[in-house]
Structures are given as C-alpha cells and as structure tokens.
Amino acid sequence: MNLKNKNFINTQDWTLDELDYILDLASAFKNNSLSKSLAGKSIALLFFNPSLRTRTSFEIAMHRLGGFASIIQPGKDAWPIETREGIVMDQEAEEHIKEAVRVISSFYDAIAVRAFPKFQNWQEDKQDSVLTAITRWALKPVINMETIIHPLQELALMMTIKSHFSDPRGKKFLLTWTYHPKGLNTAVANSAALISTRFGMDVTILRPQGYDLDPQFIETAKANAASYGNAVTITDNIEQAYHCADFVYAKSWGSLNYFGNWEEEKNIRRGLKHFIVDSDKMKLTNNAFFSHCLPMRRNVKATDEVIDSEYSLIYEEAENRLYTTCALLTAIFGGAL
Amino acid sequence: MNLKNKNFINTQDWTLDELDYILDLASAFKNNSLSKSLAGKSIALLFFNPSLRTRTSFEIAMHRLGGFASIIQPGKDAWPIETREGIVMDQEAEEHIKEAVRVISSFYDAIAVRAFPKFQNWQEDKQDSVLTAITRWALKPVINMETIIHPLQELALMMTIKSHFSDPRGKKFLLTWTYHPKGLNTAVANSAALISTRFGMDVTILRPQGYDLDPQFIETAKANAASYGNAVTITDNIEQAYHCADFVYAKSWGSLNYFGNWEEEKNIRRGLKHFIVDSDKMKLTNNAFFSHCLPMRRNVKATDEVIDSEYSLIYEEAENRLYTTCALLTAIFGGAL
Amino acid sequence: MNLKNKNFINTQDWTLDELDYILDLASAFKNNSLSKSLAGKSIALLFFNPSLRTRTSFEIAMHRLGGFASIIQPGKDAWPIETREGIVMDQEAEEHIKEAVRVISSFYDAIAVRAFPKFQNWQEDKQDSVLTAITRWALKPVINMETIIHPLQELALMMTIKSHFSDPRGKKFLLTWTYHPKGLNTAVANSAALISTRFGMDVTILRPQGYDLDPQFIETAKANAASYGNAVTITDNIEQAYHCADFVYAKSWGSLNYFGNWEEEKNIRRGLKHFIVDSDKMKLTNNAFFSHCLPMRRNVKATDEVIDSEYSLIYEEAENRLYTTCALLTAIFGGAL
C-alpha cells in the first residue's frame, strides 16, 4: 500500500484499509525490533503546546528507524509567528508562518504539528487555523500531533481495542466525560467518537447537560456509525450509559457553551465530580476494559482502584503510541518494515 | 583542500579559494543526498540567543552526515557564565567560560556559537567578547553562528548569488536598510557588505543618514572592493541606489549612534518606513533578484508582492543554509563527500 | 561481567569488582574511539534541575555508541508531576509519577534522573523521594544523575585518582568545604566521602563547625574505611587537614543545621571565606593534586593560581565524565566494547 507523502491530518481522510494497514504495521513493530528504513530522514516536530508522550514517541520512533526528529517550540525557543495573510507585521510576530513552513519543509522530510485551541472563542478555534496554514504552505507531508482532534491517539486507542476484541464491530464503546479542575481540550473526545464509530463500535457518549461536543464531530461520528447500521447514543444517564459497556474511555473537557467564560463554567463543572470512573460504575458494565489517553489526574477522573485494575489498559494504550508512530512514519516516508 | 580544524569566525580569515571550495561542496550536497563521513562526530551549538534556521540546519546537517549536534543555551538550560578574567565570582555566574569551553571542547569535536550584542554599548559589543573568549579557550574548531557578523549567512547568500550569476563580478549588489519596529543587529548587513565585495560585486549601501555601519566593516569592504578595482557607494538616495541594481538585499538595523538610547532612536526610525522594498522601487532595477536572510516582517521590510514574486530568492537562500552548513562541517571535520 | 539492567543508584550497591570493571572500561573508551553496541537503544534523561556536563556527556555517549538520549524536563517542557500515592490530584500536578515512569520506561531502554533536594527540610530531602518513586515504578534500569549523592561524579573522580595513583590505598584524600554565596547541595561531598573510602584512601573531611555531612553518609564512609583498617578524620583545623594530603578535593555545601533558614545560615557562611583553596594551603600538602567537580566559582572556592596550576585535575575529571558514562551505559545495556 503506497501512503508515501500522505498528510495525516484526520483519520477521516484515510480509508479503513489504510488505517488497518497502519495498525497491522504497528503490531509488527511491537513484536519486532529494528528497521533502518528512514536513514538520513528527518522530521520537524512543531510544538505550540507542551508534550511528553508525543514528543518522546516521535524521537524514539525516528531514532529506531534510523532517522532524526527536531523539536521546534515557536514563541519559546524560536520567535512568535504570524498566521494571518496580507497583514502589516509591525506587532510581536517576527516571522510569517509561510516563511517558517517553507523553510522548515525545505530542510525536513516531514512536519508534525501540535497546536491546541486558544480557549477564548470556539468559533475561531474550530477553524484549526495553525494546522490549516501549515498544511497549506508545507512542501512535505504534515502530521497532526493534536489540535482540535488527536488522530495519533486514535491509532493507539484502536490498536489497543483491536488487541482485545478481534472484531470491535458492535462492541459497546462508552466515552464518558469526567471532572477535571481545568476546562480542557475536546480533541481526544472528538477523536474517540470518530475512531470508535469508524470501526463499527456501538458508541455511547455520556456527558452532563451543556457538555456536548461540536456538531461537526458528532455528525461525522453518526455518519460513520450509520455506515454499519449503528446509531450514536448521547446521554447524561450514568447507569444506562455504563450498562453492558465493553470499553470505557474517560476524558474531561470544558463546555463549548462557556468557551472563554471559564470562571463561570468552573462553577458548573465543580458540581459534576460524580462522573468519576469508579468500581461501582464499572460493575454495571459487561466486564469492560478501561482506558484513558494520559496524562490523568488520579482520583479525579478515575479512582486508583480503576486505574490500577487488571482491566485498565492505560499503559498499553500509551505504549502503543510508540508503535503506531513507528508505523505511520514508515508509511509516510515510503519505507518498509 | 585541507580545512580540517580551521575556525570559521569571519569569511575574511578564509581565502577566496577556500570559500569557493565550500560553495562548490555545498552545490554537490544540494544535488546529492547522503554521506556518513561524520559518523561518531559531535558538535556543541551554544545559543546565547534564539534561533530557528541556524539550529535546525546544523541538527539536520550533522544527522545527514552521520554525526550529532547538542544544543546548549547558557542561562536557560545551563547556568549563567562569566567571561571576564581574574574576577572574584561572587555574583550570578556559576561558571567561568574557560571551564565551560574547556569541558565542552573535551566532549565535542567542534563548537558553534551564537552571541548577539547586548545593545547597550556598541564599543563593548564590537569587541565580540563572548566569541573571542570561546575561541581563546576552545581545544576544537569554533564556528560563528552570528555575533556582530553572520558568516554562515554569507555562504548561503553567495551560493544563491552564484547560482543565478555565473560570474558575480561587476554585478550591482544593493544592500538596502529597511524599517523594523526594533533596533536590530547589524551583523547580517556587515556580512552582506563583506561577502559581496569579496566576490567582486559592485556594491551600493542604501541607508538613511545616521545609519552607517561600523567603519571596521566598511573599511574591510572597501579594501575587498579595491582589490577588484571597485568602490563601495554609500548613499541615502533611494532612486540612485536602485537604479540598474542586479541584486537587492534588504536588512534592517538599529543606529549605532543611538546604541542603548533605543527610545530616542525609535522616533527617528519611525520616520523611515518609506525604505520598504516595493514593486515601484524594484522597477528601477535591472530586473534584479530580491533576497533577505529571514525572519522577515511582511509589509514592513518588503511588500507581499515583492516577497512572493518570481524574482524573490528568500526560500532558496534559506534552503542553501542547509547545504552550506553540510559543506562547512564536512570540511572542518576533515570528511569527504 | 554481567551488569545488564542493573540500577546505578548508589556506588555502595555495586561491588568493588563491578566498579573496577566500569573504570577499566572507561579507560578503554578514553584510548579507543567508537562502538555501535547500543544501536537502536534509547535513554530518557529526566532533569528536575539544570545540567551541562551531565546532559551533554550522556547525549554524546549515547550517540557514540549508536544510541539516542532524550531530554525530559518535568515542569518545564512537560507538566508538573505528583509523587505522593493515594492522593486526590486536584492541585497543580497533571500526572502521577507512576504513569509518567511506566510510560517512559515502556518507550525507553533506561531512565536517568537528576532531582536535587528542595532545600526546605533536610529530613524530607534525605528520603530522596523522586528517585525512590521512579526506581519503584520503572520497568527498565535507573541511573542516578545526582540527587543527594552523585555516583556518576564518583566514577569520574575515582578514574582520575586511579590514573595518577596506581594504588590509591592509603593516599591521603582531603575533602575540603569551601565558601560559596549559596547554600549548595551536599551530594558531591557525600559522594566524595563514599568513593574515596571505598577505594581505601585515608580520608580527612575539613569543614567548619556546623557543616557536618549527614550521619548516614559519614557512617557508611567510616564502615568503608574500617574494611581497610582506616578511620575517617573530621576536623576544622585547616593546617592539620592539608598536612601531607595527596589529593585535595574542594566542594561547598549549605549547613544541614540551617536547612530552610538560608538567610540565617548565610551570615555564618559569610564568615568562612578563608576556607578557599589557595597556594599557601597547597604548600602544606605532599605535592597534592587538586580537583573539583565543576561548575566552580573562581577566586571563591579556589584561586585562579590553584585552578590553573599543573596539579589541577579539574578538566581531566570533567572529561572522564564522558568515558565513565560510556562505560556505565555499555555495561547496563549489556553491550560490549
């Protein structure tokens, strides 16, 4: 399968066959060890926001494959960057994203980007303008390392699911909102809805009133589900949601209704701590597995008992980030195992 | 040609043959791909100031050649460093540059340094004391990554010029000052004057009254020019300067007369925005190429129309940073293509 | 000798034969050049505090051996981390050390940790809780890059000593406290007492009243000494301490009695500047060598005359950090020269 130089912006842009090819390649990397198919290749990792797992998994993946990853943190170890076009650049930004991207992509063989929302205005944030601008100007393939979706986490999640369910179709996937002291990004939640429906799971989203995900992702998830004859259930009924679930995936996110008004939203959020994943809730399931994308606040999103249980797959999902990244990079650079 | 362990502090310390050798090697790297001649070699990149192109071009160059670059940011991820001698070190600095440099140069095979002026006192800044101290104590070759001159940018600029003019001698090179909200370093301007005269170009420097470059660089540029029978024209007449130019190189810098009095200088600089490179000015030239070292503020130093034109070589010059760095490192480490 | 996957937390956990094996391997690396025995291997360097020599020596060592080192700075380029167990994580920390360590050690082949005391409460700091927690959760070997001891510096120091004394047994090793404007970590002083006694040297610790090292290290040093029939002399008599010394090792540290009350301690410390190592004191010795772990404040801990003398081994000890690290990594990863 030739995936050379294909952008990895959204799993929806890839066919199911292409995604399966990556997941199979990732399993091969998990069992296997070493390949030097990326010798002399390099990737620029643009972090507009901090990272632990994503950065290190890319660094190691590139090294194992014989290549090299540079970390670039605009506004931190490089200057601030302008993304708007046609502007007179007499303010803070020293460089336009067009120049930065053209130059970076003349140096490197691929570009990966993390650019979170600014959390002031969702209508602006949902334009995903940094990633869009970079993709527009890049001369080399672009990989999304989390913006308003997190497709790399999708690969790791689905690799984990498929290693426990030979056929995920029809299995009940519960995406549950949980409390967190901050109003977090919806990216992983959006992505969980996309990838679980994409692989034919029976998806329920449990969230409090006022915490709906953006319609663009829900509509896509529903269309994904419909192609299998499934629906997507959205509810605030905790018992019904957990009932007979096969896989419980926890994530916290801030309310899109209160975007930018975080002090006001905080008061509502504070009343919702009972969404924590605990053993009592897990008993309602069909011996479900539990996972989360990490980092995770213990005894806030889930109890120690759940996190440290035998059905917890958090470390497996995290480790799969490395293998799915190895697979994706190999495919995009046109290498072979 | 044996350039092994030769310092690269100033292009004036290198013969024209040596510079031509580097430029030819750079062209070979541009057409070629890979060499492992630096296997096991490492370089320390000391950044007293931030960098995007310089850092990443070194990282990639070293990786492509089989070697390795470390980034060291004194005062940021390492402790502050003392450069004066004989001093009782009871203030902020935890380490003397002698120890830092002796140790770094016992670990690494070369040291590269970026140390901008402090912009308080030009008479002090023009001593280039950090680079001088490092060169004094280093046990391995030292490369200047921009201090009060930027010889790496010179290599990229001249590689770009030579790829468009088979013989640059006698071609009119216009170095034009432009407005910028900040009082910037004169390094790239000094370097442009040095390298263009060195290769026999007919050089005009267009700058407002009060924005002369330091005499040490102008005198050297004039001496370079004289060896070809040329002069260096310095003017504030925009029309005359652009007239029949073959290559327009833009750069902003702060007035040396107001060094440290930047608030006062700012008022003067604000009245000089009309030095912007635009299409009307470019029409006065002999179908000149345009370039700039990047980063560049759009519609401040040059208009979008100029920057995005077919005669704009900004991306080519930036990309050439990578190939000239590959060439320089190969030569200094005694490797071969 | 099989040292594969052995933690390097404290040299006391290693037999003398194992330490000698590492030191011999280090000498081989010093004379030798290159090995690719760590191809595809990677190590995570966790820096809770800044570093120059330690970071760069690991980066280069891994590269020379064919492997790769990632730098992780919790709270700086990653989120703050919780180390306590059973806690409701509703404060600053976004991730528990258990998850961070489990994930990092599923990605990397080893973990190295620098975590200094917090300098508020010695009874807490002496628990070495960060390193202990990481060692508890790590799936891969852990290396101490300085916490309340600095075993890597011990290796470099002993390699330096052994290259000047074919048999260090019975040689008089003077560890002298010196003034420094800040109340520093006792780690290197503790380590110097441990490693010098371990190799049978006749150890004197010169420190002002009130500047005793923690009993846990003194007792271990005494037990080490006793196994050779030696004692450890602790004194504040400068002349007696320097008399007939063969090796003078300088280090400053803050008083454990005033831990957390640094303003009060500062007044006492200020009266102790005469502990500086100078030529007059060195004349009392048996033509002793001088060394220090670096960084070192000149004319505060020792005079320029001493530091720049022929008997000063500061650069040799620093350079040996690279070779001992190469040796340790090779042994722990199960590679061979």
Side-chain angles (χ1 to χ4, degrees):
Chain A
M1 186 169 289
N2 184 7
L3 298 168
K4 192 171 178 180
N5 292 331
K6 188 171 173 66
N7 285 343
F8 184 72
I9 301 298
N10 189 327
T11 50
Q12 297 289 134
D13 306 330
W14 289 48
T15 69
L16 206 53
D17 276 353
E18 289 170 338
L19 294 173
D20 268 325
Y21 174 82
I22 297 293
L23 296 178
D24 288 346
L25 192 55
S27 295
F29 272 110
K30 192 163 191 168
N31 300 317
N32 213 296
S33 55
L34 218 58
S35 145
K36 288 289 172 196
S37 59
L38 304 193
K41 298 286 187 186
S42 61
I43 188 169
L45 308 180
L46 265 69
F47 286 105
F48 291 83
N49 308 89
S51 161
L52 174 57
R53 261 158 293 272
T54 298
R55 170 173 76 87
T56 56
S57 60
F58 268 85
E59 285 187 325
I60 300 171
M62 287 303 287
H63 174 68
R64 285 203 188 170
L65 300 167
F68 169 72
S70 280
I71 299 151
I72 299 173
Q73 300 176 92
K76 196 172 170 188
D77 49 26
W79 26 70
I81 284 177
E82 175 65 60
T83 57
R84 294 165 296 177
E85 290 184 41
I87 205 158
V88 178
M89 289 175 57
D90 55 6
Q91 302 300 313
E92 278 312 293
E94 287 290 344
E95 179 150 42
H96 196 277
I97 201 158
K98 180 175 177 183
E99 276 72 74
V101 171
R102 288 288 299 269
V103 173
I104 288 169
S105 63
S106 75
F107 284 7
Y108 292 90
D109 302 295
I111 300 178
V113 183
R114 166 165 290 193
F116 289 170
K118 296 192 189 309
F119 296 106
Q120 293 303 316
N121 180 332
W122 174 244
Q123 295 310 313
E124 276 182 21
D125 283 342
K126 72 184 284 190
Q127 305 304 317
D128 215 356
S129 60
V130 172
L131 180 63
T132 305
I134 290 171
T135 307
R136 171 169 179 186
W137 297 117
L139 308 166
K140 305 285 171 62
V142 176
I143 296 173
N144 181 349
M145 297 195 295
E146 191 176 352
T147 58
I148 54 172
I149 50 175
H150 195 348
L152 289 165
Q153 196 69 43
E154 294 179 41
L155 293 179
L157 169 60
M158 192 44 64
M159 182 182 178
T160 307
I161 290 171
K162 287 186 78 173
S163 75
H164 292 277
F165 299 115
S166 57
D167 186 353
R169 281 178 299 180
K171 296 290 178 185
K172 182 172 176 182
F173 180 90
L174 169 60
L175 167 62
T176 177
W177 182 93
T178 67
Y179 171 75
H180 184 286
K182 296 176 189 164
L184 299 181
N185 198 352
T186 56
V188 170
N190 296 331
S191 275
L194 294 176
I195 200 69
S196 56
T197 51
R198 195 73 189 289
F199 279 80
M201 299 182 84
D202 173 24
V203 174
T204 293
I205 301 175
L206 170 63
R207 90 289 171 258
Q209 294 291 337
Y211 282 80
D212 279 313
L213 298 172
D214 189 84
Q216 69 172 312
F217 303 112
I218 295 300
E219 292 313 312
T220 306
K222 284 181 176 169
N224 287 341
S227 75
Y228 290 90
N230 294 337
V232 173
T233 305
I234 300 175
T235 179
D236 62 356
N237 185 317
I238 294 178
E239 288 198 14
Q240 280 179 16
Y242 275 85
H243 182 67
C244 285
D246 295 298
F247 200 99
V248 175
Y249 201 58
K251 185 71 191 77
S252 185
W253 63 86
S255 168
L256 298 181
N257 300 343
Y258 289 85
F259 230 72
N261 301 321
W262 295 113
E263 278 309 305
E264 209 174 329
E265 194 259 8
K266 204 172 194 172
N267 291 323
I268 300 167
R269 198 163 8 97
R270 267 200 204 112
L272 299 167
K273 296 186 182 179
H274 57 287
F275 277 83
I276 188 170
V277 183
D278 58 25
S279 295
D280 283 347
K281 293 189 187 77
M282 290 302 290
K283 281 179 191 140
L284 302 171
T285 68
N286 180 27
N287 291 314
F289 292 102
F290 166 79
S291 199
H292 184 282
C293 66
L294 303 185
M296 171 170 49
R297 289 172 175 251
R298 285 177 168 259
N299 302 309
V300 171
K301 288 180 171 178
T303 60
D304 279 343
E305 199 180 352
V306 168
I307 294 170
D308 296 326
S309 69
E310 289 196 356
Y311 55 77
S312 169
L313 303 178
I314 56 170
Y315 302 124
E316 183 178 334
E317 181 177 338
E319 188 177 354
N320 287 342
R321 286 291 305 276
L322 177 57
Y323 305 117
T324 48
T325 299
C326 284
L328 183 69
L329 290 171
T330 299
I332 284 179
F333 282 117
L337 188 60
Chain B
M1 187 167 292
N2 184 8
L3 298 168
K4 192 171 178 181
N5 293 331
K6 189 171 174 64
N7 285 342
F8 184 72
I9 302 299
N10 189 327
T11 50
Q12 297 288 134
D13 308 330
W14 290 48
T15 69
L16 207 54
D17 276 353
E18 288 170 339
L19 293 174
D20 268 327
Y21 174 82
I22 296 294
L23 296 178
D24 288 346
L25 192 54
S27 295
F29 272 110
K30 192 163 190 168
N31 298 319
N32 211 297
S33 55
L34 218 57
S35 145
K36 288 290 173 196
S37 60
L38 303 193
K41 298 285 187 187
S42 58
I43 190 169
L45 308 180
L46 265 68
F47 286 105
F48 291 83
N49 307 90
S51 161
L52 174 58
R53 260 158 294 273
T54 298
R55 171 173 75 87
T56 55
S57 60
F58 269 85
E59 284 187 325
I60 299 171
M62 287 302 288
H63 174 70
R64 286 201 188 173
L65 299 167
F68 169 71
S70 279
I71 300 151
I72 299 174
Q73 300 177 92
K76 194 171 171 189
D77 52 23
W79 26 73
I81 284 177
E82 175 64 59
T83 57
R84 295 165 295 176
E85 290 184 40
I87 207 160
V88 178
M89 289 174 58
D90 55 4
Q91 301 300 312
E92 278 311 293
E94 288 290 343
E95 182 152 41
H96 196 277
I97 201 159
K98 180 176 176 183
E99 276 72 74
V101 171
R102 288 288 298 269
V103 174
I104 288 168
S105 63
S106 75
F107 283 6
Y108 292 90
D109 302 296
I111 300 179
V113 183
R114 166 165 289 192
F116 288 170
K118 295 191 190 308
F119 296 106
Q120 294 303 315
N121 180 332
W122 174 243
Q123 296 309 314
E124 275 181 24
D125 282 344
K126 71 185 282 195
Q127 305 305 317
D128 216 355
S129 60
V130 172
L131 181 63
T132 303
I134 289 172
T135 308
R136 171 168 179 188
W137 297 118
L139 308 166
K140 306 283 172 61
V142 176
I143 295 171
N144 182 348
M145 296 194 296
E146 192 177 353
T147 58
I148 54 171
I149 50 176
H150 195 350
L152 289 165
Q153 196 69 44
E154 295 180 40
L155 293 179
L157 169 59
M158 192 44 64
M159 182 181 178
T160 307
I161 289 171
K162 288 186 78 173
S163 75
H164 292 276
F165 299 115
S166 57
D167 187 352
R169 282 179 298 181
K171 296 291 177 185
K172 182 171 176 182
F173 180 90
L174 168 61
L175 166 63
T176 177
W177 182 92
T178 68
Y179 171 75
H180 183 284
K182 295 178 188 163
L184 298 182
N185 199 352
T186 56
V188 170
N190 296 331
S191 275
L194 293 177
I195 200 69
S196 57
T197 51
R198 193 75 189 288
F199 279 79
M201 299 182 85
D202 173 22
V203 175
T204 293
I205 301 175
L206 170 64
R207 89 290 169 259
Q209 293 292 336
Y211 282 81
D212 278 313
L213 297 173
D214 188 84
Q216 70 172 312
F217 303 112
I218 294 301
E219 293 313 312
T220 306
K222 284 182 176 170
N224 287 340
S227 75
Y228 289 91
N230 293 339
V232 174
T233 304
I234 300 176
T235 179
D236 62 355
N237 185 316
I238 294 178
E239 288 199 14
Q240 280 179 16
Y242 275 85
H243 181 67
C244 284
D246 296 296
F247 200 99
V248 175
Y249 201 58
K251 185 72 190 76
S252 185
W253 62 86
S255 169
L256 299 180
N257 300 344
Y258 288 86
F259 230 71
N261 300 320
W262 296 113
E263 278 308 306
E264 211 174 328
E265 194 259 8
K266 204 172 193 172
N267 289 325
I268 300 167
R269 197 160 11 95
R270 266 200 206 112
L272 301 166
K273 295 188 183 178
H274 56 287
F275 278 83
I276 188 169
V277 183
D278 57 27
S279 293
D280 283 346
K281 294 189 186 76
M282 290 301 291
K283 280 178 192 142
L284 303 171
T285 69
N286 180 28
N287 290 315
F289 292 103
F290 166 78
S291 199
H292 184 282
C293 66
L294 301 186
M296 172 169 48
R297 288 171 176 252
R298 285 176 168 261
N299 302 310
V300 171
K301 289 179 172 179
T303 60
D304 279 341
E305 198 179 352
V306 169
I307 294 170
D308 297 325
S309 70
E310 289 198 355
Y311 55 78
S312 168
L313 304 177
I314 56 169
Y315 302 125
E316 182 178 335
E317 182 179 336
E319 187 177 354
N320 286 342
R321 286 291 305 276
L322 177 58
Y323 305 118
T324 48
T325 299
C326 284
L328 182 70
L329 290 171
T330 298
I332 283 180
F333 283 117
L337 189 60
Chain C
M1 187 167 291
N2 184 6
L3 298 168
K4 192 170 177 181
N5 292 330
K6 189 172 173 66
N7 286 343
F8 184 71
I9 302 299
N10 189 329
T11 50
Q12 297 290 134
D13 307 331
W14 289 48
T15 69
L16 206 53
D17 276 354
E18 289 170 339
L19 294 173
D20 268 326
Y21 174 83
I22 296 294
L23 296 178
D24 289 345
L25 193 54
S27 295
F29 272 110
K30 192 162 190 169
N31 299 318
N32 210 298
S33 56
L34 217 57
S35 146
K36 288 289 174 198
S37 60
L38 304 193
K41 299 285 187 187
S42 60
I43 189 168
L45 307 180
L46 264 69
F47 285 105
F48 290 84
N49 308 90
S51 162
L52 174 58
R53 261 159 293 272
T54 298
R55 170 172 77 87
T56 55
S57 60
F58 268 85
E59 284 187 326
I60 299 170
M62 288 301 290
H63 174 68
R64 285 202 189 172
L65 300 168
F68 169 70
S70 279
I71 299 151
I72 299 173
Q73 299 177 93
K76 196 172 168 186
D77 49 24
W79 25 72
I81 284 178
E82 175 65 60
T83 57
R84 294 165 296 177
E85 290 184 41
I87 207 159
V88 179
M89 290 174 56
D90 55 5
Q91 302 299 313
E92 279 310 293
E94 287 290 343
E95 180 151 43
H96 196 277
I97 199 158
K98 180 176 177 182
E99 275 72 73
V101 171
R102 288 286 301 268
V103 173
I104 289 169
S105 62
S106 75
F107 283 8
Y108 293 90
D109 301 296
I111 301 178
V113 182
R114 167 165 288 191
F116 289 172
K118 296 192 190 307
F119 296 104
Q120 293 304 315
N121 180 331
W122 175 244
Q123 296 310 314
E124 275 181 22
D125 282 344
K126 71 185 284 192
Q127 305 304 317
D128 216 357
S129 60
V130 171
L131 180 63
T132 305
I134 289 171
T135 308
R136 173 170 178 186
W137 296 118
L139 307 167
K140 305 285 172 62
V142 176
I143 295 172
N144 181 349
M145 296 194 296
E146 192 178 352
T147 58
I148 54 172
I149 50 176
H150 195 349
L152 289 164
Q153 196 69 43
E154 295 179 40
L155 293 179
L157 169 59
M158 192 45 63
M159 182 182 178
T160 307
I161 289 172
K162 288 186 78 174
S163 75
H164 292 276
F165 300 115
S166 58
D167 187 352
R169 281 178 298 180
K171 295 290 178 187
K172 183 172 176 182
F173 180 90
L174 169 60
L175 167 63
T176 177
W177 183 92
T178 67
Y179 171 75
H180 183 286
K182 295 177 188 163
L184 299 181
N185 198 352
T186 57
V188 171
N190 296 331
S191 275
L194 293 177
I195 200 70
S196 57
T197 52
R198 194 72 189 290
F199 279 80
M201 299 182 85
D202 174 23
V203 175
T204 293
I205 301 175
L206 170 64
R207 89 289 171 258
Q209 293 292 336
Y211 282 80
D212 279 313
L213 297 173
D214 189 83
Q216 68 172 316
F217 302 112
I218 296 299
E219 292 313 313
T220 305
K222 283 181 176 169
N224 286 342
S227 75
Y228 289 91
N230 293 339
V232 173
T233 303
I234 302 175
T235 179
D236 62 355
N237 185 315
I238 293 178
E239 289 199 13
Q240 280 180 15
Y242 274 85
H243 182 66
C244 285
D246 296 297
F247 200 100
V248 175
Y249 201 59
K251 185 71 191 75
S252 185
W253 62 87
S255 169
L256 298 181
N257 300 343
Y258 288 85
F259 230 72
N261 301 320
W262 295 113
E263 277 309 305
E264 210 174 329
E265 194 258 9
K266 205 173 194 173
N267 290 325
I268 300 166
R269 199 165 5 99
R270 267 198 205 114
L272 300 166
K273 296 187 181 178
H274 57 287
F275 277 84
I276 189 171
V277 185
D278 57 27
S279 294
D280 284 345
K281 293 189 187 77
M282 291 302 290
K283 281 177 191 144
L284 303 172
T285 69
N286 181 27
N287 291 314
F289 292 103
F290 166 78
S291 198
H292 183 282
C293 65
L294 304 184
M296 172 169 49
R297 288 171 176 252
R298 284 174 170 262
N299 303 310
V300 171
K301 289 179 171 178
T303 59
D304 279 343
E305 198 180 353
V306 169
I307 293 169
D308 297 326
S309 69
E310 288 197 356
Y311 55 77
S312 169
L313 304 178
I314 58 169
Y315 302 125
E316 182 178 333
E317 182 178 335
E319 187 177 355
N320 287 341
R321 286 291 306 277
L322 177 58
Y323 305 117
T324 48
T325 299
C326 284
L328 183 70
L329 290 171
T330 299
I332 283 180
F333 282 118
L337 189 59

